[in-house]
Amino acid sequence: MTASQGGFAIGFESRPWRSDPDQSASRRQRLTARGPYQAAVPARIADLPVRVGAEVQAEAEDAVREITRFDAEVGALAARRAEVEGEDVATELAPLAAVLLRTESASSSEIEGVTAGARALALAAIEAKAGPNAQLVTANVVAMRRAVELADQISVESILAAHDALLAGHEYAAPGRLRTTQVWIGSNAISPHAASFVPPHHARVEDAMRDLIAFVVRVDLPVLVHCAIAHAQFETIHPFNDGNGRVGRTLVHAMLRRSDVTRRLTVPVSAGLLTDTAAYFDALTAYRDGDVEPIVQQFVSASFRAVGNGRQLVAELEQVYDGWTDRLASRRGSAARRLLPHLLNQPAVTVAHAQAATGVALSAAQRAVEQLAAAGIVDPVGTGRRNRVWLAQEVIDALDAFAERVGRRG
C-alpha cells in the first residue's frame, strides 16, 4: 500500500465522554455532548514506505537545493563583510542568522493567530514594555533556537524542551509535558463531539511520539518529503495542550539542520506557509486521509517563497548596513561601529545593552549611542531619559516590509 493510497491515514476509536455538570451550556450543546465520541488513532509510520509522484519529488529536491544555496549565499556574504571589517565570520553572520530566526518565529506564531510587529518584538527582546503576543513570539524564538541546537539528538525529550521554552510560565499548557487530557480542534463546543478534528486520546500520545521519532531519524527519505510528513504526523498526534503548531514547525527546522540542508540559518519556511494558511490546513486534513502529497507540496511552495523573501530581506538589511557605515564617522573598531551588526539583529537598544554588546565602559557605550543618534542611525523612543530606548527604524521598516510580503492571504 502506498502512502497516497492510505498507509498514513488515521483510524478512529470510540471513547466515553463524561460531561461537566457545572459547565455553562445551552440545551443544544448539552444534547450534542452526550455519549461516546470518536478520537483519531494515528497510523504507525516508523517503517512505512513513502512514495510520492516523480514530479512532486523533483520539486521537493529543487526546493532543498534552493534552501542550501541561500544558506551558503548568506555565509559567503558574512565572509566578505568579515574581511572588510576585520572581524571573524561568525560575528558577521550572527545578526543575519538571528534576524531570519526571528522572522521565522514571528511567522510561525502568526499562523496560530499570535501576531506582533517588528517594533514590539524589538522592545520585548530588551524587556522593554511589550504586550503578551510579543512575549509569546520572543519565547518562540527561544524554542526554535533550542530545537535547532538539539538537531543532532532529536527525541521526545528534545521536543519537550522546545515546548518548555515556548510556554514556560503558562501552566495551562503544561510546558515541557505531554498532555494528559483530550483536546480537540476547530470548534468552540464544550466537548469533542462537534469538533472538526479530535486528536488521539492522551493514553496514546507517548507511544505515538516514540513512533514519530523513529520515523524522524530515518535516513532513507528525501529531506523535504521527510520533514513534511513528520510535521503532519506531529500535528495529528497533537501532543500538547497548546503550542502544537509552533513546536511542530520547530521540528522541521531541526530536521533540516540534522540533514545538513541548513548549516548557518533558519530559513523562514513558516513565512511561506503563512501566505496561504487555508491550503496548509487543508493539506494536513488530506494527510490524515492518507494522502501525503498535498502537505509535501505545501512545504515545497513555502520553501521557494521563504528563500525569495529571505533573499530580499537580507539584501535590504545589507543596504541599510552599507548606508550606516557611510554615515558613521567613527573609526573601524570603535564601540559605535561594533554596535552596527548588533542593531541588525536587535534594532532596539539601551545604553546598558550597548555596553553588554560591545564590552566597553558605560560612559563609552553612552558616547557610542550618541554617535549613532547623531548619524541618524537610531532615534530615541519616548521623551524620558531614564533607561531610554533607542530604535533603528530602518531595520524595523525592512522587517515590516518582509511581513507585508508574506502576510496571510488564505
Side-chain angles (χ1 to χ4, degrees):
M1 178 180 291
T2 66
S4 61
Q5 292 169 331
F8 286 77
I10 60 174
F12 293 93
E13 65 178 351
S14 181
R15 285 281 180 173
W17 180 256
R18 182 175 299 172
S19 298
D20 181 357
D22 297 326
Q23 189 170 31
S24 298
S26 68
R27 185 174 66 173
R28 183 186 62 80
Q29 287 176 316
R30 290 193 178 280
L31 289 173
T32 302
R34 288 181 175 176
Y37 67 94
Q38 297 293 301
V41 178
R44 297 188 65 82
I45 69 169
D47 300 312
L48 270 182
V50 177
R51 301 183 184 95
V52 297
E55 184 176 340
V56 173
Q57 182 163 327
E59 289 178 347
E61 290 169 354
D62 286 345
V64 165
R65 282 191 288 271
E66 194 68 3
I67 291 171
T68 302
R69 187 179 298 118
F70 177 55
D71 187 273
E73 286 169 2
V74 176
L77 177 65
R80 290 194 299 272
R81 190 197 291 165
E83 186 175 357
V84 171
E85 297 290 335
E87 295 282 359
D88 60 74
V89 175
T91 298
E92 297 297 329
L93 178 64
L96 291 175
V99 78
L100 287 167
L101 173 65
R102 189 174 298 172
T103 59
E104 167 62 5
S105 299
S107 297
S108 182
S109 297
E110 189 171 351
I111 290 173
E112 307 302 325
V114 179
T115 303
R119 179 189 172 103
L121 292 178
L123 294 174
I126 61 168
E127 299 179 357
K129 185 177 181 181
N133 279 8
Q135 293 171 7
L136 282 171
V137 176
T138 300
N140 199 14
V141 173
V142 178
M144 192 82 68
R145 187 179 294 117
R146 179 78 55 87
V148 171
E149 288 171 351
L150 297 174
D152 290 335
Q153 44 184 317
I154 300 175
S155 63
V156 173
E157 290 69 28
S158 69
I159 291 172
L160 293 176
H163 186 255
D164 186 52
L166 174 67
L167 287 163
H170 298 270
E171 279 308 307
Y172 74 91
R177 303 190 297 277
L178 298 175
R179 60 180 169 88
T180 57
T181 59
Q182 181 69 66
V183 296
W184 54 92
I185 299 170
S187 174
N188 292 323
I190 62 173
S191 76
H193 296 79
S196 60
F197 176 63
V198 182
H201 188 267
H202 48 276
R204 291 186 176 272
V205 167
E206 183 172 359
D207 181 64
M209 287 295 291
R210 301 291 175 192
D211 177 74
L212 171 60
I213 295 302
F215 177 82
V216 164
V217 299
R218 284 171 60 171
V219 294
D220 62 321
L221 300 174
V223 174
L224 204 57
V225 174
H226 194 191
C227 291
I229 292 173
H231 172 73
Q233 184 73 357
F234 181 94
E235 296 305 313
T236 297
I237 297 168
H238 232 66
F240 301 118
N241 291 344
D242 191 19
N244 292 282
R246 284 165 286 175
V247 175
R249 287 182 288 276
T250 71
L251 175 62
V252 171
H253 290 290
M255 292 177 69
L256 289 173
R257 184 63 60 90
R258 183 176 183 270
S259 301
D260 280 338
V261 172
T262 55
R263 297 184 178 183
R264 308 163 185 86
L265 306 176
T266 305
V267 178
V269 175
S270 293
L273 295 172
L274 179 63
T275 300
D276 191 351
T277 53
Y280 167 52
F281 295 137
D282 286 347
L284 290 173
T285 299
Y287 172 82
R288 292 163 188 152
D289 291 335
D291 187 356
V292 303
E293 287 199 357
I295 193 64
V296 175
Q297 289 171 327
Q298 283 300 303
F299 272 88
V300 168
S301 299
S303 296
F304 282 119
R305 285 194 292 263
V307 170
N309 283 313
R311 279 196 178 110
Q312 188 169 344
L313 175 61
V314 169
E316 290 172 357
L317 291 176
E318 280 300 293
Q319 187 175 7
V320 168
Y321 189 86
D322 289 343
W324 288 350
T325 58
D326 289 342
R327 278 145 48 195
L328 188 61
S330 299
R331 58 180 173 77
R332 192 172 72 179
S334 67
R337 287 269 176 178
R338 298 211 306 273
L339 264 178
L340 294 183
H342 179 78
L343 285 173
L344 287 181
N345 163 37
Q346 177 45 42
V349 294
T350 62
V351 171
H353 282 86
Q355 180 187 25
T358 58
V360 299
L362 188 63
S363 59
Q366 178 70 49
R367 285 195 301 274
V369 172
E370 290 170 353
Q371 288 171 334
L372 295 177
I377 294 171
V378 297
D379 296 301
V381 176
T383 57
R385 300 192 62 84
R386 181 177 175 81
N387 297 322
R388 171 171 279 184
V389 176
W390 302 81
L391 203 65
Q393 187 60 45
E394 290 166 294
V395 176
I396 298 296
D397 291 343
L399 294 173
D400 283 343
F402 175 91
E404 181 67 24
R405 287 195 301 273
V406 304
R408 184 193 298 261
R409 290 191 283 276

